[in-house]
């Protein structure tokens, strides 16, 4: 079995070195702000519906911690732990934890393929895997490892049905450098089902790309609700899907 490590970890560390944060968490860019905010809104909605009150959460592939902090502020979990393979990102995340929250928000370097060795079985009420799997060489191995951490998992991923997204992944320097390769939703679901999980809810949403001119982003945002309601069309037009899995 190929055990090589993802080259994109170096790319994410380089983003921190050059920009001080990940490119898509730079909210000075309107399109990045709009796209990621919508993703956060969907995740928060799922968390409030499925995680229970004051849950313990693990944020897989937390990066520079931007979205981990958002989750804490909006959900107020008992504790949230973020881990990532990019050491520079974890360093930034830890620097931003307020002193009075150091027992509630924790960040650590961790290998997604060994998540089952980082934490105890069923240690968390719920797992969040936001935009991570499409960067991996061995997503099935990662999923198997993650599935031991909780009976509940929320996964947010680029929509592998979207043909435009497939083209962007091939031609965009950013997407190529960060090794993005969206997977078909049924394939993702099958991988979780093989580990004893069932899809409880799946939603396709958002047509605003992370990196596009502001005028285009504003236009796409105005038509987004209409596109999301179109039967079948939304399956190929939307750029993101979110899935809630529960162990049988």
């Amino acid at each position: 079995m190929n055990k090589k490590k993802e080259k994109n970890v170096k790319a994410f560390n380089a983003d921190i070195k050059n920009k001080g944060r990940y490119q898509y968490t730079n909210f000075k860019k309107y399109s990045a702000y709009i796209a990621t905010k919508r993703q956060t809104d969907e995740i928060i909605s799922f968390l409030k519906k499925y995680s229970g009150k004051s849950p313990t959460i693990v944020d897989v592939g937390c990066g520079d911690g931007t979205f981990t902090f958002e989750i804490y502020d909006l959900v107020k979990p008992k504790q949230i732990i973020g881990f990532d393979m990019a050491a520079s990102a974890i360093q930034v995340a830890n620097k931003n934890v307020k002193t009075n929250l150091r027992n509630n928000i924790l960040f650590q370097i961790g290998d997604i393929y060994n998540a089952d060795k980082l934490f105890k079985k069923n240690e968390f009420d719920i797992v969040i895997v936001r935009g991570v799997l499409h960067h991996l060489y061995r997503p099935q191995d990662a999923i198997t490892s993650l599935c031991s951490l909780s009976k509940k998992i929320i996964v947010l991923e680029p929509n592998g049905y979207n043909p435009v997204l497939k083209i962007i992944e091939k031609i965009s320097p950013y997407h190529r450098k960060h090794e993005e390769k969206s997977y078909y939703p049924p394939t993702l679901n099958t991988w979780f089902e093989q580990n004893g999980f069932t899809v409880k809810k799946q939603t396709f949403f958002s047509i605003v790309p992370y990196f596009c001119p502001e005028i285009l982003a504003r236009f796409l945002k105005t038509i987004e609700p209409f596109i999301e309601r179109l039967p079948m069309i939304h399956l190929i037009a939307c750029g993101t899907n979110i899935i809630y899995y529960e162990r049988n």
Side-chain angles (χ1 to χ4, degrees):
M1 181 183 292
N2 188 352
K3 296 289 186 179
K4 65 180 181 179
K5 296 292 184 179
E6 283 74 9
K7 295 177 183 177
N8 60 59
V9 174
K10 292 183 179 179
F12 282 114
N13 278 324
D15 289 343
I16 296 293
K17 181 179 179 180
N18 297 329
K19 304 290 185 180
R21 64 188 314 131
Y22 284 177
Q23 293 187 45
Y24 55 80
T25 63
N26 179 6
F27 297 151
K28 292 181 181 179
K29 190 168 186 62
Y30 179 79
S31 60
Y33 168 73
I34 288 298
T36 57
K37 183 181 184 303
R38 181 65 197 285
Q39 292 178 357
T40 296
D41 289 345
E42 292 293 332
I43 288 173
I44 297 304
S45 176
F46 272 50
L47 276 172
K48 289 182 175 180
K49 184 174 182 178
Y50 299 113
S51 68
K53 188 176 181 180
S54 299
T56 53
I57 301 172
V58 60
D59 185 10
V60 180
C62 62
D64 62 21
T66 297
F67 304 127
T68 313
F69 290 119
E70 286 187 346
I71 290 169
Y72 184 82
D73 290 341
L74 295 169
V75 178
K76 292 295 188 293
K78 180 179 180 181
Q79 185 180 67
I80 184 166
I81 298 177
F83 75 91
D84 200 290
M85 291 191 282
S88 295
I90 292 298
Q91 186 177 25
V92 168
N94 273 316
K95 285 182 179 179
N96 290 325
V97 180
K98 295 178 181 178
T99 302
N100 65 319
L101 294 178
R102 292 200 178 276
N103 290 326
N104 304 98
I105 306 174
L106 295 88
F107 294 102
Q108 65 184 71
I109 301 169
D111 189 332
I112 192 171
Y113 299 114
N114 295 313
D116 55 339
K117 296 179 177 63
L118 292 174
F119 306 104
K120 299 176 183 178
K121 185 176 181 181
N122 296 327
E123 183 170 346
F124 300 94
D125 293 318
I126 198 159
V127 176
I128 298 173
V129 193
R130 178 174 182 161
V132 178
L133 299 177
H134 68 290
H135 291 291
L136 302 181
Y137 297 159
R138 298 183 283 122
Q140 288 172 276
D141 289 344
I143 289 168
T144 297
S145 179
L146 294 174
C147 281
S148 72
L149 305 185
S150 177
K151 297 177 181 179
K152 300 177 179 182
I153 301 178
I154 295 172
V155 174
L156 184 144
E157 277 289 298
N159 176 17
Y161 284 140
N162 188 314
V164 175
L165 184 59
K166 293 292 187 184
I167 294 172
I168 292 174
E169 290 169 351
K170 297 295 184 183
I171 66 174
S172 162
Y174 175 90
H175 287 73
R176 291 173 64 183
K177 183 185 295 184
H178 293 77
E179 301 182 300
E180 300 194 19
K181 43 197 175 294
S182 57
Y183 298 109
Y184 290 111
T187 301
L188 280 176
N189 294 343
T190 296
W191 289 338
F192 279 91
E193 288 165 359
Q194 289 170 346
N195 285 277
F197 282 74
T198 300
V199 177
K200 294 297 183 180
K201 185 172 178 63
Q202 184 163 18
T203 302
F204 295 83
F205 65 96
S206 184
I207 62 172
V208 180
Y210 281 175
F211 311 117
C212 72
E214 181 172 337
I215 189 171
L216 176 59
R218 289 187 180 278
F219 168 72
L220 292 174
K221 191 63 180 175
T222 62
I223 66 172
E224 186 174 82
F226 172 73
I227 298 297
E228 290 176 348
R229 289 194 297 268
L230 289 176
M232 302 307 294
I233 298 298
H234 77 287
L235 293 179
I236 60 172
C238 290
T240 308
N241 74 136
I242 183 171
I243 316 105
Y244 168 61
Y245 300 100
E246 198 170 281
R247 187 181 296 142
N248 297 332

